[in-house]
Amino acid sequence: MKLADNKATLSFSNGSPSVDLPVYHGNIGPDVIDIRKLYAQTGMFTYDPGFLSTASCQSAITYIDGDKGELLYRGYPIEQLAVNCDFLETCHLLLYGELPNETQKADFTNRVTQHTMVNEQMQFFLRGFRRDAHPMAVLTGLVGGLSAFYHDSTDINNPEHREIAAIRLIAKLPTLVAMAYKYSIGQPFMYPKNSLSYAGNFLHMMFATPCEEYKVNPVIEKALDRIFILHADHEQNASTSTVRLCGSSGTNPFAAIAAGVACLWGPAHGGANEACLNMLEEIQAMGGVAKVGEFMEKVKDKNSGVRLMGFGHRVYKNYDPRAKLMQETCNEVLQALGLENDPLFKLAKELERIALEDDYFVSRKLYPNVDFYSGIVQRAIGIPVSLFTAIFALARTVGWIAQLNEMIGDPEYKIGRPRQLFTGSPRRDVKPLDQR
């Protein structure tokens, strides 16, 4: 961090002495006021529910400018990465800070490929779940369970342990997600194939069966790889902050990532694309495109309780840069599969048209976000709605690991311990039972 020449001065109207607070510059983005000594100097905390104005860490990984609709991984715009790089190149960038050259890419890809299999005992662990369990419930257990199988990489303070845990998690998440899917539909598990790409291997494990050869569709393979890139990291969101907070206690990397998976499950976070597709199917059941106008009127009525899923974002106050890329991918996939006239896609286009023209949505900057189209793409590929969030977790794992490693390497990091504004009863004495 770079200390600014100026300071922030906090003054009080009750006559208490004012306090000078240091100001630090980021390379881009807002400056921050350092309040670490505020309690020692004033006896007071700050109050910021949802951390809307609080920087909990310094990070060099991902930057978002919500007003500009800009998303950068290590300084590179997401639009350029999604077009010019594959997912494993993006993983290398997030983990090590730079895009790989040809030799580095081959080495990194080989290391990941060699770790895609999971211990055979994981099958028996998986079979302890009900077959109709939500995939995120299964995945939370499986990821946490990895720490029971890989004891040689559970010391979060050992750089070598963190390195091998990172490779293992990136490599094994597609295998675990595919296993959870196969288990839910009663099909045999498919082992990884080292000859396939990262996305191609996942498609193979998801949709191949032992009774016939499976050929990966290159359009779908490219689309899935792009989905992974677009979801790889997203600054200090709820699940990333959860991973950092969990990891700050010194727990092992597998447990910290499992905590991120659990947080991502929520419909306000990783479950948003699942909620979006469910919304589209509900409108379709009501009458489809003909009922879109009626539905949007309900959305505008605060008393209706109807929400428009897949539009707007807590961070972006402009068009989500990932949404345009996902829209292009959606068009490519539907065209390749002959689904251009898919009723849900037509429905989605009509929803988007109204939202971009109606003053109610425009004034509130409720633009389509990445979840709006990613659900349609995954549905077209053949991925069930219940598995959408697990796919998100698969992609986000590399971001979580990069953030966790960065935190561990930060000499200023401490175990997370938020403060509170206490509003309960003041001290009181316990009376004997017969006097209460």
Side-chain angles (χ1 to χ4, degrees):
M1 294 190 298
K2 181 182 178 183
L3 185 65
D5 295 331
N6 60 304
K7 296 181 179 180
T9 301
L10 178 63
S11 59
F12 302 89
S13 60
N14 62 359
S16 297
S18 60
V19 176
D20 287 335
L21 299 169
V23 174
Y24 287 93
H25 295 309
N27 288 351
I28 49 177
D31 295 341
V32 298
I33 300 171
D34 187 348
I35 61 169
R36 283 176 288 184
K37 296 182 180 179
L38 181 66
Y39 179 60
Q41 293 176 301
T42 67
M44 290 187 287
F45 305 134
T46 56
Y47 181 63
D48 186 19
F51 308 107
L52 297 177
S53 300
T54 299
S56 62
C57 64
Q58 53 177 307
S59 180
I61 300 173
T62 304
Y63 174 75
I64 298 171
D65 187 323
D67 294 326
K68 292 181 180 178
E70 183 177 62
L71 171 61
L72 308 177
Y73 291 172
R74 301 285 191 180
Y76 293 106
I78 190 65
E79 299 92 330
Q80 295 180 22
L81 290 169
V83 172
N84 299 309
C85 301
D86 64 26
F87 179 63
L88 287 182
E89 288 177 274
T90 305
C91 288
H92 188 283
L93 171 68
L94 291 173
L95 288 176
Y96 304 116
E98 297 294 341
L99 287 168
N101 58 32
E102 289 186 12
T103 302
Q104 291 169 330
K105 179 181 178 180
D107 177 65
F108 183 73
T109 300
N110 182 63
R111 290 168 65 201
V112 171
T113 302
Q114 295 303 316
H115 283 280
T116 51
M117 288 197 300
V118 298
N119 191 296
E120 280 290 284
Q121 285 182 267
M122 291 293 285
Q123 293 189 28
F124 302 108
F125 183 23
L126 181 60
R127 289 184 172 118
F129 292 98
R130 288 172 55 106
R131 287 194 185 271
D132 61 352
H134 194 287
M136 288 298 283
V138 176
L139 192 62
T140 302
L142 292 178
V143 174
L146 288 174
S147 58
F149 292 93
Y150 301 104
H151 301 288
D152 61 337
S153 56
T154 55
D155 182 359
I156 203 168
N157 295 307
N158 185 320
E160 292 183 5
H161 282 212
R162 294 202 305 272
E163 174 83 5
I164 188 62
I167 298 298
R168 281 174 170 159
L169 281 160
I170 293 168
K172 297 181 192 305
L173 255 293
T175 308
L176 294 179
V177 172
M179 286 175 68
Y181 171 63
K182 288 293 195 183
Y183 179 70
S184 71
I185 61 175
Q187 288 189 2
F189 303 128
M190 296 299 296
Y191 288 104
K193 291 187 71 172
N194 290 358
S195 60
L196 297 174
S197 71
Y198 189 87
N201 184 45
F202 178 63
L203 289 168
H204 160 77
M205 291 188 291
M206 282 283 292
F207 301 118
T209 59
C211 52
E212 60 184 2
E213 190 67 25
Y214 175 80
K215 186 175 181 180
V216 176
N217 184 320
V219 175
I220 294 177
E221 180 182 19
K222 177 185 174 184
L224 194 60
D225 193 78
R226 176 171 287 187
I227 287 175
F228 292 162
I229 293 172
L230 297 180
H231 289 87
D233 198 50
H234 208 239
E235 218 190 74
Q236 305 306 316
N237 52 76
S239 59
T240 299
S241 298
T242 297
V243 170
R244 279 181 173 262
L245 186 62
C246 187
S248 73
S249 72
T251 191
N252 69 78
F254 303 108
I257 300 306
V261 174
C263 181
L264 191 71
W265 192 354
H269 192 8
N273 54 7
E274 181 177 343
C276 182
L277 198 67
N278 287 336
M279 175 194 72
L280 292 175
E281 289 179 342
E282 288 173 8
I283 300 172
Q284 184 65 24
M286 290 166 45
V289 173
K291 295 292 183 179
V292 169
E294 181 181 324
F295 175 82
M296 295 297 258
E297 289 302 316
K298 290 181 180 178
V299 171
K300 291 190 281 186
D301 181 1
K302 293 182 179 179
N303 298 319
S304 70
V306 176
R307 293 184 61 196
L308 181 61
M309 306 303 296
F311 286 78
H313 196 280
R314 165 110 166 234
V315 173
Y316 296 111
K317 306 307 176 188
N318 203 321
Y319 207 92
D320 182 343
R322 301 167 301 170
K324 182 178 180 181
L325 293 161
M326 189 53 64
Q327 183 188 41
E328 293 173 0
T329 299
C330 189
N331 289 329
E332 291 169 2
V333 169
L334 293 177
Q335 184 175 1
L337 298 177
L339 297 174
E340 302 98 319
N341 295 319
D342 178 80
L344 286 193
F345 182 58
K346 285 188 173 182
L347 190 58
K349 293 291 289 183
E350 182 63 11
L351 277 174
E352 181 184 40
R353 185 191 67 78
I354 293 176
L356 294 178
E357 294 177 0
D358 191 303
D359 288 340
Y360 177 90
F361 301 102
V362 173
S363 63
R364 289 165 174 77
K365 298 184 178 180
L366 294 176
Y367 302 107
N369 59 41
V370 68
D371 299 310
F372 185 64
Y373 284 108
S374 64
I376 299 174
V377 173
Q378 292 181 68
R379 174 179 171 273
I381 290 172
I383 297 170
V385 175
S386 62
L387 207 68
F388 286 0
T389 316
I391 305 293
F392 193 159
L394 185 169
R396 183 56 57 85
T397 293
V398 64
W400 289 333
I401 296 167
Q403 297 276 349
L404 180 65
N405 288 348
E406 181 182 64
M407 181 197 71
I408 300 299
D410 186 346
E412 294 186 341
Y413 107 88
K414 297 177 176 64
I415 184 172
R417 180 61 172 86
R419 298 293 192 168
Q420 66 176 15
L421 175 63
F422 182 69
T423 57
S425 173
R427 178 189 170 94
R428 48 184 173 171
D429 296 323
V430 177
K431 295 180 180 179
L433 184 60
D434 62 355
Q435 296 179 27
R436 296 180 205 163

XYZ file of all heavy atoms in Angstrom, residues 95 152-169 253 401 404-410:
220
model
N -3.331 -17.562 -10.071
C -2.483 -18.147 -9.037
C -1.103 -17.502 -8.949
O -0.601 -17.245 -7.850
C -2.307 -19.645 -9.292
C -3.510 -20.553 -9.024
C -3.188 -21.977 -9.431
C -3.916 -20.493 -7.559
N -0.987 -34.901 3.099
C 0.305 -34.296 2.776
C 0.181 -32.873 2.260
O 1.180 -32.275 1.847
C 1.041 -35.149 1.740
C 0.277 -35.268 0.422
O -0.959 -35.085 0.450
O 0.907 -35.555 -0.617
N -1.021 -32.311 2.262
C -1.173 -30.935 1.757
C -2.222 -30.163 2.555
O -3.034 -29.432 1.990
C -1.550 -30.953 0.271
O -2.733 -31.712 0.054
N -2.203 -30.331 3.882
C -3.221 -29.678 4.716
C -2.655 -28.571 5.611
O -3.409 -27.951 6.352
C -3.941 -30.708 5.612
O -2.970 -31.425 6.381
C -4.753 -31.682 4.777
N -1.343 -28.318 5.541
C -0.742 -27.258 6.351
C -0.814 -25.954 5.574
O -0.054 -25.725 4.634
C 0.708 -27.601 6.699
C 1.355 -26.546 7.595
O 0.689 -25.548 7.920
O 2.537 -26.736 7.957
N -1.722 -25.100 5.973
C -1.967 -23.862 5.220
C -0.770 -22.908 5.287
O -0.620 -22.016 4.448
C -3.248 -23.178 5.751
C -3.842 -22.247 4.693
C -2.981 -22.432 7.043
C -5.231 -21.755 5.019
N 0.108 -23.095 6.274
C 1.262 -22.215 6.418
C 2.492 -22.723 5.663
O 3.525 -22.062 5.670
C 1.602 -22.046 7.905
C 0.501 -21.340 8.666
O 0.070 -20.256 8.262
N 0.024 -21.935 9.746
N 2.363 -23.872 5.027
C 3.465 -24.443 4.256
C 3.237 -24.141 2.771
O 2.285 -24.633 2.176
C 3.522 -25.960 4.497
C 4.724 -26.607 3.831
O 5.091 -26.271 2.711
N 5.324 -27.563 4.518
N 4.104 -23.342 2.140
C 3.902 -22.972 0.727
C 3.797 -24.181 -0.203
O 3.012 -24.160 -1.157
C 5.137 -22.124 0.401
C 5.592 -21.587 1.719
C 5.293 -22.671 2.714
N 4.576 -25.236 0.063
C 4.509 -26.425 -0.779
C 3.162 -27.124 -0.627
O 2.598 -27.632 -1.604
C 5.650 -27.387 -0.427
C 7.027 -26.860 -0.798
C 8.121 -27.871 -0.491
O 7.788 -29.008 -0.087
O 9.303 -27.516 -0.655
N 2.649 -27.160 0.581
C 1.333 -27.761 0.817
C 0.251 -26.965 0.088
O -0.662 -27.552 -0.523
C 1.029 -27.805 2.316
C 1.731 -28.903 3.037
N 1.182 -29.541 4.132
C 2.931 -29.488 2.828
C 2.022 -30.468 4.562
N 3.096 -30.446 3.794
N 0.342 -25.641 0.170
C -0.659 -24.805 -0.497
C -0.592 -24.998 -2.007
O -1.620 -24.999 -2.686
C -0.456 -23.329 -0.137
C -0.700 -23.001 1.323
C -1.022 -21.520 1.519
N -0.018 -20.642 0.966
C 1.065 -20.213 1.617
N 1.280 -20.623 2.855
N 1.913 -19.389 1.051
N 0.609 -25.166 -2.536
C 0.787 -25.356 -3.980
C 0.123 -26.646 -4.447
O -0.652 -26.650 -5.408
C 2.291 -25.381 -4.297
C 2.631 -25.725 -5.733
C 2.544 -24.532 -6.666
O 2.318 -23.410 -6.176
O 2.704 -24.720 -7.878
N 0.418 -27.749 -3.770
C -0.144 -29.027 -4.208
C -1.648 -29.075 -3.943
O -2.410 -29.653 -4.730
C 0.576 -30.217 -3.520
C 0.113 -31.543 -4.121
C 0.345 -30.213 -2.013
C 0.407 -31.724 -5.573
N -2.107 -28.439 -2.855
C -3.547 -28.390 -2.588
C -4.266 -27.603 -3.675
O -5.378 -27.967 -4.094
C -3.818 -27.761 -1.214
N -3.645 -26.521 -4.146
C -4.240 -25.717 -5.215
C -4.409 -26.543 -6.481
O -5.485 -26.543 -7.101
C -3.366 -24.493 -5.490
N -3.360 -27.248 -6.880
C -3.428 -28.073 -8.087
C -4.480 -29.161 -7.920
O -5.274 -29.433 -8.834
C -2.048 -28.691 -8.395
C -1.008 -27.599 -8.673
C -2.147 -29.655 -9.571
C -1.305 -26.737 -9.875
N -4.488 -29.806 -6.758
C -5.451 -30.876 -6.524
C -6.889 -30.368 -6.582
O -7.762 -31.004 -7.179
C -5.187 -31.517 -5.152
C -4.020 -32.503 -5.166
C -3.704 -33.008 -3.783
N -2.751 -34.122 -3.857
C -1.984 -34.517 -2.854
N -2.056 -33.886 -1.686
N -1.166 -35.542 -3.002
N -7.150 -29.245 -5.978
C -8.517 -28.725 -5.960
C -8.987 -28.341 -7.358
O -10.108 -28.667 -7.754
C -8.604 -27.527 -5.011
C -8.698 -27.889 -3.526
C -8.290 -26.713 -2.645
C -10.116 -28.341 -3.186
N -6.591 -25.964 3.536
C -7.169 -25.386 2.315
C -8.475 -26.051 1.885
O -9.373 -25.374 1.388
C -6.078 -25.606 1.266
C -4.811 -25.746 2.038
C -5.188 -26.401 3.322
N -8.734 -20.084 -4.149
C -7.387 -20.515 -3.773
C -6.401 -19.352 -3.896
O -5.552 -19.134 -3.023
C -6.926 -21.687 -4.663
C -7.814 -22.901 -4.443
C -5.474 -22.051 -4.366
C -7.632 -23.979 -5.492
N -6.962 -17.039 -1.027
C -6.501 -17.653 0.218
C -4.979 -17.586 0.316
O -4.423 -17.201 1.353
C -6.969 -19.107 0.272
C -6.590 -19.928 1.512
C -7.255 -19.361 2.760
C -6.984 -21.385 1.324
N -4.294 -17.939 -0.760
C -2.832 -17.900 -0.766
C -2.304 -16.483 -0.581
O -1.293 -16.265 0.099
C -2.292 -18.494 -2.068
C -2.451 -20.005 -2.121
O -2.757 -20.647 -1.117
N -2.252 -20.582 -3.300
N -2.992 -15.527 -1.211
C -2.579 -14.137 -1.064
C -2.699 -13.691 0.382
O -1.821 -13.013 0.920
C -3.431 -13.241 -1.973
C -3.049 -11.771 -1.901
C -3.930 -10.893 -2.776
O -5.153 -10.812 -2.496
O -3.411 -10.310 -3.745
N -3.794 -14.076 1.028
C -4.006 -13.696 2.422
C -2.926 -14.288 3.330
O -2.368 -13.601 4.189
C -5.380 -14.160 2.897
C -5.697 -13.773 4.342
S -7.070 -14.709 5.027
C -6.300 -16.328 5.212
N -2.622 -15.583 3.121
C -1.613 -16.241 3.947
C -0.253 -15.568 3.795
O 0.523 -15.464 4.743
C -1.492 -17.741 3.581
C -2.829 -18.456 3.799
C -0.397 -18.412 4.403
C -3.333 -18.442 5.197
N 0.045 -15.083 2.587
C 1.326 -14.436 2.330
C 1.382 -12.979 2.743
O 2.440 -12.347 2.652
N 0.272 -12.426 3.216
C 0.218 -11.024 3.633
C 0.707 -10.911 5.075
O 0.083 -11.468 5.988
C -1.218 -10.507 3.520
C -1.335 -9.016 3.797
O -0.372 -8.423 4.323
O -2.395 -8.440 3.505
